[in-house]
Amino acid sequence: MATPPKRQKREEYRKAHREDGLTELPKKKHYRQRAHANPFSDHQLTYPRNPAFMDWSTYYPAYTEVKQASHENNSPDLQAAPTQRMRKEVTLADIGCGFGGLLVALASELPDELLLGLEIRTQVTEYVQDRIKALRNQNPGTLLYQNIACLRANTMKFLPNFFHKGQLSKIFLCFPDPHFKARKHKARIVSSTLNSEYAFVMKPGGCIYTITDVEDLHKWMVEHLEGHQSFERISEEEQENDVCVSVMKVETEEGKKVERNKGNKFVACFRRVEDPPWPE
């Protein structure tokens, strides 16, 4: 069966846009994708067996250095380990990053941190990757936009495969799928189980940022994060003085849509508290 002409044109556009040195920003119309994806489906994802096997060098080439290969143990596991060592670790994750508006905006606000967008939809991930590549090509010889990257992942299943304990200082959950039906609530990105995974990968003092235009979802996220012993809600005053909150409200694509439609935005932020000491 022949490929439909429109699909073929989109594929040709995406292929041409990945040429080295291209500075033109990609156009969303060539990266068509459904608004949401089922996180419980088998998406044939590639992921490391644990964080030590994650090779970040292709995502942050400006922050890598060659690591001497070890020949002391020739097991298959060590052979699969990355040969590039990072000068910095990823410390910020935008879960469900969409078209990358928040990542791009925070790149200059947090130049000393490595930011990662995690997106489950294939073509949306490709769009963000092509967008970052074009922005880097527009700024040669600088580190601008070298500190942001995007990969395709299902964080509901594989978040601890990418990040070790206490690695992240910030997690963003911006306009997640509300899953209105009660039987779909188990697919929401905030739950008792997932909150424990967020707590595992976050360092004490780190922050989870949430924003949505659905009040019911906002109340759900507040209830579940406040009810978790590893998190405490941040005061409104501290929240409003956080530059990340200001950026989060206006720079995501969904946030801009809500702004155009004069809708409400519900924000809540939560700090990762210290774990209690082990009993003697």
Side-chain angles (χ1 to χ4, degrees):
M1 182 180 295
T3 304
K6 288 186 178 180
R7 183 189 300 175
Q8 183 175 351
K9 288 182 179 179
R10 290 196 297 268
E11 291 174 353
E12 291 173 351
Y13 173 89
R14 295 197 299 272
K15 183 178 180 180
H17 205 278
R18 296 192 185 94
E19 295 179 359
D20 290 337
L22 197 64
T23 59
E24 178 188 358
L25 292 175
K27 298 177 181 178
K28 292 180 187 175
K29 67 179 182 179
H30 297 293
Y31 299 79
R32 295 187 62 180
Q33 185 84 49
R34 292 183 179 180
H36 302 290
N38 183 356
F40 300 121
S41 296
D42 181 7
H43 291 277
Q44 298 181 334
L45 297 168
T46 301
Y47 56 90
R49 68 179 64 189
N50 63 55
F53 286 82
M54 180 60 197
D55 184 1
W56 296 106
S57 62
T58 57
Y59 296 95
Y60 305 97
Y63 293 91
T64 61
E65 58 187 22
V66 176
K67 182 176 69 173
Q68 294 296 325
S70 173
H71 301 287
E72 296 179 1
N73 190 322
N74 293 320
S75 68
D77 289 352
L78 287 182
Q79 290 176 3
T83 58
Q84 301 288 329
R85 182 168 54 196
M86 297 293 294
R87 296 201 300 270
K88 292 185 176 183
E89 286 187 327
V90 174
T91 55
L92 184 153
D94 182 8
I95 296 177
C97 67
F99 290 96
L102 182 64
L103 285 174
V104 172
L106 288 178
S108 56
E109 293 287 348
L110 304 171
D112 296 325
E113 296 194 50
L114 297 190
L115 294 65
L116 179 69
L118 297 157
E119 175 59 51
I120 195 172
R121 295 168 293 174
T122 306
Q123 292 191 28
V124 177
T125 303
E126 291 179 2
Y127 172 86
V128 180
Q129 292 172 341
D130 291 348
R131 181 181 183 181
I132 292 172
K133 184 176 181 180
L135 288 169
R136 289 175 177 177
N137 290 338
Q138 289 177 6
N139 297 272
T142 74
L143 289 177
L144 191 57
Y145 303 113
Q146 296 287 343
N147 64 327
I148 59 174
C150 177
L151 60 81
R152 184 168 179 248
N154 184 348
T155 55
M156 291 185 69
K157 292 184 178 181
F158 305 119
L159 188 67
N161 291 75
F162 293 96
F163 307 114
H164 62 72
K165 180 177 174 61
Q167 178 174 342
L168 300 180
S169 61
K170 294 178 175 61
I171 289 179
F172 289 86
L173 306 172
C174 300
F175 300 96
D177 188 341
H179 293 289
F180 290 107
K181 296 180 180 178
R183 64 185 178 84
K184 292 285 189 178
H185 285 180
K186 63 176 182 271
R188 285 180 168 176
I189 198 64
V190 169
S191 66
S192 299
T193 302
L194 289 173
N195 291 348
S196 294
E197 294 201 353
Y198 300 147
F200 176 80
V201 299
M202 291 195 75
K203 68 179 183 180
C207 184
I208 289 186
Y209 298 79
T210 72
I211 184 171
T212 179
D213 58 330
V214 179
E215 187 173 12
D216 174 69
L217 178 61
H218 168 69
K219 292 178 178 178
W220 167 283
M221 292 192 290
V222 169
E223 176 187 350
H224 283 75
L225 282 163
E226 278 189 330
H228 197 284
Q229 61 182 2
S230 294
F231 296 101
E232 63 180 9
R233 190 167 182 180
I234 292 174
S235 67
E236 290 284 342
E237 181 181 2
E238 184 178 351
Q239 182 175 290
E240 291 306 313
N241 290 329
D242 190 330
V243 64
C244 291
V245 173
S246 302
V247 173
M248 178 177 69
K249 287 182 177 179
V250 298
E251 293 296 344
T252 66
E253 281 71 13
E254 285 296 322
K256 292 176 181 178
K257 186 187 301 183
V258 173
E259 198 80 26
R260 291 194 299 269
N261 295 333
K262 303 186 185 307
N264 295 317
K265 299 176 186 176
F266 303 97
V267 177
C269 301
F270 301 84
R271 182 180 290 108
R272 172 70 161 91
V273 300
E274 291 275 0
D275 292 326
W278 285 92
E280 294 293 339

